[in-house]
Amino acid sequence: EIHERLVGSEMCIRDRTSIKSAVKKVIELAKAEDKEALNAAMSKAYQLCDKAVSKGILHKNTAARKKSRLTKAVNKLQAK
């Protein structure tokens, strides 16, 4: 039981880290103004958030907030 809990927490950390990395990549691409790569990266970040919700790693409102803030940041960077 303890081993299962440790493995589960490692998976949670891995998934949260991958979401953070995807968000950072989207911000970098927004600054670089590469539209096609940006759309692919945004899609991947959204997908990771949704998958984390389905696994129970993130609350659905937390995922929605992350996606909203990411979209807002990208739009702000593209407006410049």
Side-chain angles (χ1 to χ4, degrees), residues 5-67:
R5 215 175 317 135
L6 289 174
V7 170
S9 67
E10 288 173 5
M11 289 171 56
C12 286
I13 291 168
R14 184 194 64 211
D15 289 345
R16 285 186 178 160
T17 304
S18 64
I19 291 170
K20 289 178 191 175
S21 299
V23 167
K24 287 178 188 174
K25 185 175 182 181
V26 168
I27 297 297
E28 286 176 16
L29 288 171
K31 289 178 183 175
E33 298 176 8
D34 185 359
K35 291 269 189 189
E36 196 168 306
L38 175 63
N39 288 337
M42 289 252 321
S43 177
K44 181 70 174 172
Y46 276 31
Q47 184 182 21
L48 288 171
C49 284
D50 292 336
K51 189 173 256 189
V53 170
S54 68
K55 288 181 179 180
I57 294 168
L58 291 180
H59 189 273
K60 65 179 182 175
N61 291 351
T62 303
R65 184 176 65 243
K66 283 183 181 292
K67 293 191 290 188

